[in-house]
Amino acid sequence: MSSWWQLGVHRTPSGSLQAATEETVDRDPVSSSSILSVGYEGTSETLEIEFRETGVYQYLNVPQFMWERLMAADSVGKFFNAEIKNAFACQKV
């Protein structure tokens, strides 16, 4: 089964499909005041986060367990700020 990112589309926070660039990762909506959606691509260890105010960023070389902890966190935004924001290289998509 192919991931949405492999097919060239991704899910928006509203659940619709949208054309994507090759670099885009399939994201799932999250409940957060600062983050709209989060996705992870395990082969490249790329964590992709869509922020409400600043757009989409990819965090590079993020181990899968960090993504799992982020998605299980009581506060996605607080976990991101404490554990990911300054710990991994990132690029704006």
Side-chain angles (χ1 to χ4, degrees):
M1 180 174 167
S2 296
S3 298
W4 290 111
W5 67 270
Q6 292 171 315
L7 299 175
V9 296
H10 73 272
R11 245 183 235 292
T12 65
S14 66
S16 63
L17 295 178
Q18 180 177 10
T21 64
E22 288 182 8
E23 300 88 26
T24 301
V25 176
D26 181 29
R27 296 186 307 269
D28 293 313
V30 295
S31 179
S32 171
S33 61
S34 60
I35 297 173
L36 288 172
S37 60
V38 174
Y40 185 75
E41 201 296 299
T43 304
S44 64
E45 293 190 315
T46 301
L47 175 68
E48 188 169 284
I49 299 179
E50 179 182 13
F51 295 93
R52 289 186 188 277
E53 301 293 326
T54 57
V56 178
Y57 286 81
Q58 290 181 337
Y59 292 82
L60 310 175
N61 302 310
V62 177
Q64 183 170 343
F65 78 88
M66 289 298 286
W67 166 68
E68 292 169 352
R69 288 180 60 207
L70 173 69
M71 297 305 285
D74 289 334
S75 171
V76 173
K78 285 181 183 178
F79 184 88
F80 167 79
N81 286 327
E83 303 288 338
I84 296 171
K85 184 176 181 178
N86 296 313
F88 299 96
C90 72
Q91 61 189 16
K92 186 165 175 53
V93 178

